[in-house]
Structure formats: structure tokens, C-alpha cells
Amino acid sequence: MVAYLLLAAAIVAEVTGTVALKLSDGFTKAVPSVVVAAGYGLAFFLMARVLKMGMPVGVVYAIWSAVGVALVALIGAMFLNEQLNLTMIAGLVLIIGGVTLLELGGAH
């Protein structure tokens, strides 16, 4: 359970870094640029801790990347005026479905 909480924190840190990357305007704005570095650094640190706890790297990375992609797409649509259409939503559903299958397959 602790591993999943750390993985969730890693995802939040990565998503924060990615949104800050958009807001950094090509690293020309100091505060968002620092948030990018801190967010990615924390994300990888936490993900390394999760891997040290014994979770399979394929499952960890699949969950981390899929949830991160979905959250960034939703945040982009809700707060950054980015497009999100039905085709893109279907793609996100497929990604999340694939990760779910990886997780279920890893449990056996």
C-alpha cells in the first residue's frame, strides 16, 4: 500500500512539473522553471523508492506514465485552453485500460 501512495505522489510531482514546463515559457520564467526541476526530481526520486520496494518496473512505469498523460490532458483542457476531443478521450481510455491489464497480469 505504501508503494502505491509513493507512486501516486510521484505522479502528482511529475504532472506538476509538466504543467510548470508549459508555464515556464521555454524556461524564460524563473518560478515555473524551478518547479519543473523540483517536480521531475521528486517524481524520479519517489519512483526509485517504489522500485526499491519491489514493484515491477514495467507496471510502475505504465501506471506512472498513463495516469500522468491522462491528468496532464485533463488539466490542459480544463485550465490551459487546450483541445480534448472524443478521439483523444478514447485514446486515454485505451491507455488506462492497457495499464489495468498490465497490473492484472502482474498480479498472477
Side-chain angles (χ1 to χ4, degrees):
M1 184 66 168
V2 172
Y4 283 101
L5 291 174
L6 288 176
L7 182 55
I11 292 166
V12 169
E14 186 269 332
V15 168
T16 301
T18 300
V19 172
L21 186 60
K22 170 82 173 182
L23 300 175
S24 76
D25 196 28
F27 291 113
T28 61
K29 296 181 180 175
V31 173
S33 297
V34 170
V35 173
V36 171
Y40 286 147
L42 180 60
F44 284 112
F45 172 79
L46 292 171
M47 194 163 61
R49 302 298 301 169
V50 171
L51 292 171
K52 188 174 182 179
M53 292 177 160
M55 284 186 71
V57 68
V59 172
V60 169
Y61 190 72
I63 293 169
W64 180 71
S65 60
V67 174
V69 166
L71 287 175
V72 168
L74 292 174
I75 290 168
M78 292 170 37
F79 301 108
L80 302 174
N81 297 318
E82 296 180 353
Q83 295 289 332
L84 189 61
N85 59 41
L86 289 177
T87 303
M88 296 165 79
I89 292 169
L92 292 172
V93 169
L94 289 171
I95 291 169
I96 292 169
V99 169
T100 301
L101 290 174
L102 277 173
E103 178 67 17
L104 292 173
H108 294 115

